């Protein structure tokens, strides 16, 4: 088989390295702008098993930055369409398509099956859920984010600090490609670098990318970065949980009004606006579970309650709205 000749002649790869790639299992969460180049290059390199997790369908507005798909794929599951395309690209790779969202209820199983995890998701709730689980299981996480013409990528967990250690506070907004926009080559460049980081870890490059973060500005063509090997994990954080993780003893706070979410996250949920949390009367004996659509308001609310002395808090990102 001549497929891998050009990479196998590299001293960093060789026959042993190629065998190592063939024996590896990579979990890729997100088959969009970042996920497409990640999947293409990992499949091309001969990674043995790739699990693709994405709940979305292909839309025409995706095509300028997601070259795995064509107009014929519009309306199809991204995970299944990507797997089909990659199978034709390299039938030696075992592709496991999961048309589901990454969430606290399934993250343990998905992470546990893989050797290394790629965060190519477009929600910070998914990214932090992945980071928490990868840190718990000591699995390497290659995480990235891209908006407009800028972004970052880094190697977290797996023996180095987690995403929370580097970004312990919530983002200022829940901006994404739909609201801010993105140039295809910018997100593609960052995704390609994610794939390179994955291969570097799997092949054991002497310059290990774990514990390092790279920043990219492809408008000004500037690159930066730093090591975060000495970053400290937060002393406390409110974890994301699934609705299945709710208990009858929980005090569930729905932060969305009835117009945004006609049905609360659960029948027993109390509706409280985010700005009311600072004065809301809690008895302090129950776990407080804060819910909103993206998890951002819930995370900010948890910070408010933490400053009031409450620590038994969990978050739910409920995309139903």
């Amino acid at each position: 088989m001549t497929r891998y000749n050009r990479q196998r002649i590299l001293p960093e790869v060789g026959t042993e390295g190629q065998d190592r790639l063939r024996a590896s299992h990579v979990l890729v969460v997100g088959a969009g702008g970042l996920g497409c180049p990640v999947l293409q290059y990992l499949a091309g390199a001969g990674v043995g098993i790739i699990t693709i997790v994405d709940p979305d369908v292909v839309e025409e507005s995706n095509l300028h930055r997601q070259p795995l798909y064509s107009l014929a794929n519009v309306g199809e599951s991204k995970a299944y369409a990507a797997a089909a395309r990659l199978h034709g690209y390299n039938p030696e790779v075992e592709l496991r398509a999961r048309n589901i969202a990454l969430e606290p209820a399934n993250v343990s199983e998905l992470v546990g099956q893989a050797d290394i995890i790629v965060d190519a998701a477009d929600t910070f709730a998914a990214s932090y859920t992945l980071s928490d689980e990868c840190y718990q299981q000591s699995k390497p996480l290659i995480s990235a984010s891209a908006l407009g013409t800028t972004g970052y990528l880094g190697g977290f967990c797996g023996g180095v600090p987690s995403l929370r250690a580097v970004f312990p506070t919530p983002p200022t907004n829940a901006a994404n490609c739909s609201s801010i926009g993105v140039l295809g080559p910018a997100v593609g460049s960052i995704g390609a670098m994610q794939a390179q980081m994955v291969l570097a870890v799997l092949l054991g490059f002497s310059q290990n990318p774990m514990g390092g973060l790279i920043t990219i500005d492809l408008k000004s063509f500037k690159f930066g970065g730093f090591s975060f090997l000495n970053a400290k994990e937060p002393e406390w954080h409110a974890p994301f949980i699934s609705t299945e993780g709710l208990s009858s003893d929980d005090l569930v706070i729905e932060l969305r009004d009835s117009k945004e979410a006609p049905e609360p996250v659960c029948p027993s949920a109390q509706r409280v606006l985010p700005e009311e949390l600072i004065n809301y009367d809690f008895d302090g004996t129950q776990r407080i579970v804060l819910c909103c659509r993206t998890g951002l308001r819930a995370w900010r609310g948890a910070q408010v309650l933490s400053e009031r002395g409450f620590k038994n808090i969990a978050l739910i990102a409920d995309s139903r709205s």
Side-chain angles (χ1 to χ4, degrees):
M1 174 64 72
T2 60
R3 180 186 296 273
Y4 309 116
N5 280 358
R6 294 297 185 272
Q7 68 184 32
R8 195 157 44 200
I9 61 176
L10 292 170
E12 297 87 352
V13 183
T15 300
E16 180 181 348
Q18 194 62 54
D19 291 341
R20 192 180 302 172
L21 293 180
R22 186 180 299 111
S24 299
H25 182 171
V26 180
L27 168 64
V28 179
V29 179
L34 291 169
C36 280
V38 169
L39 291 166
Q40 287 173 295
Y41 283 115
L42 293 185
V47 169
I49 302 173
I50 302 176
T51 296
I52 309 167
V53 173
D54 196 305
D56 296 331
V57 299
V58 179
E59 299 179 8
E60 187 174 357
S61 62
N62 300 148
L63 300 181
H64 82 288
R65 67 189 185 282
Q66 298 175 16
L68 268 179
Y69 314 116
S70 69
L71 280 172
N73 298 123
V74 171
E76 296 179 2
S77 156
K78 285 185 180 179
Y80 286 112
R85 179 72 181 275
L86 293 168
H87 178 73
Y89 181 43
N90 188 353
E92 296 181 7
V93 176
E94 180 181 341
L95 297 152
R96 301 176 181 176
R98 303 290 300 275
N99 185 32
I100 58 173
L102 186 285
E103 56 183 29
N106 58 32
V107 66
S108 178
E109 176 187 0
L110 290 167
V111 168
Q113 295 172 350
D115 299 306
I116 187 169
I117 292 81
V118 176
D119 169 24
D122 60 356
T123 70
F124 76 90
S127 295
Y128 281 87
T129 297
L130 271 176
S131 178
D132 290 346
E133 189 61 35
C134 287
Y135 190 76
Q136 179 71 25
Q137 295 194 31
S138 195
K139 295 287 183 74
L141 171 68
I142 307 301
S143 182
S145 178
L147 283 176
T149 58
T150 65
Y152 73 82
L153 72 155
F156 305 87
C157 307
V160 303
S162 72
L163 193 68
R164 289 190 185 275
V166 183
F167 302 107
T169 57
T172 56
N173 58 60
N176 55 34
C177 293
S178 298
S179 59
I180 299 297
V182 65
L183 274 181
V187 68
S189 297
I190 296 171
M193 292 178 71
Q194 274 188 286
Q196 178 69 11
M197 277 194 172
V198 171
L199 295 178
V201 173
L202 292 177
L203 293 168
F205 279 17
S206 58
Q207 188 67 39
N208 194 314
M210 301 302 295
L213 186 135
I214 300 170
T215 60
I216 302 169
D217 183 340
L218 288 174
K219 183 177 181 180
S220 60
F221 293 94
K222 293 181 179 178
F223 293 76
F226 55 87
S227 168
F228 57 85
L229 287 173
N230 294 323
K232 302 299 183 184
E233 298 297 324
E235 294 183 2
W236 173 87
H237 71 267
F240 284 96
I241 65 170
S242 63
T243 53
E244 292 84 355
L246 288 172
S247 162
S248 59
D249 295 328
D250 290 332
L251 174 59
V252 183
I253 303 297
E254 175 60 79
L255 297 174
R256 298 169 292 183
D257 60 27
S258 56
K259 183 177 180 181
E260 181 183 355
E263 293 186 11
V265 65
C266 70
S268 63
Q270 300 181 24
R271 291 191 189 271
V272 180
L273 295 178
E275 59 269 22
E276 297 172 342
L277 289 174
I278 193 168
N279 295 314
Y280 197 80
D281 187 21
F282 298 100
D283 64 21
T285 62
Q286 297 170 283
R287 181 174 68 166
I288 302 169
V289 181
L290 303 174
C291 174
C292 68
R293 185 177 66 84
T294 66
L296 180 56
R297 283 169 287 181
W299 192 353
R300 290 174 179 165
Q303 288 188 310
V304 171
L305 295 183
S306 174
E307 292 171 359
R308 292 181 56 190
F310 299 101
K311 298 297 183 182
N312 191 12
I313 307 170
L315 315 176
I316 291 180
D318 179 26
S319 59
R320 302 172 306 150
S321 58

